[in-house]
């Protein structure tokens, strides 16, 4: 099980895996929209995508906090895997 988080505010997107920040991206075109998911198989085998406990939250209309700066040291898994 992998937890994927996407934090979107205005033109900035922040991506998280298992609650750890990975990277940010800025998109000057799309500053609002809806939620969607796209997945495809790269071979001849079928692809199955499932969600459990899917949660979507609305951000408060506050200015975005500063983008986190990545650490040069490896991260440690959280106790209990969550």
């Amino acid at each position: 099980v992998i937890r994927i988080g996407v934090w979107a505010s205005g033109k900035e997107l922040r991506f998280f895996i298992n609650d750890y920040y990975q990277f940010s991206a800025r998109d000057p075109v799309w500053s609002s929209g809806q939620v969607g998911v796209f997945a495809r198989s790269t071979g001849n085998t079928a692809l199955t995508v499932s969600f459990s406990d899917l949660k979507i939250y609305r951000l408060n209309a506050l200015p975005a906090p500063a983008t986190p700066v990545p650490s040069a040291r490896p991260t440690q898994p959280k106790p209990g895997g969550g």
Side-chain angles (χ1 to χ4, degrees):
V1 175
I2 298 173
R3 290 176 50 131
I4 299 173
V6 179
W7 181 100
S9 178
K11 298 174 182 175
E12 184 173 8
L13 300 166
R14 296 179 189 174
F15 297 88
F16 299 82
I17 297 177
N18 293 333
D19 297 328
Y20 287 98
Y21 171 76
Q22 300 298 308
F23 65 93
S24 292
R26 294 184 70 78
D27 187 338
V29 176
W30 310 108
S31 60
S32 66
Q34 299 178 357
V35 175
V37 175
F38 175 79
R40 72 180 185 102
S41 173
T42 59
N44 293 329
T45 56
L47 173 71
T48 301
V49 177
S50 62
F51 297 93
S52 62
D53 199 25
L54 176 65
K55 296 178 183 177
I56 299 173
Y57 299 94
R58 179 175 183 251
L59 293 172
N60 293 328
L62 300 173
T67 300
V69 176
S71 171
R73 55 194 164 99
T75 58
Q76 298 297 317
K78 287 185 172 183

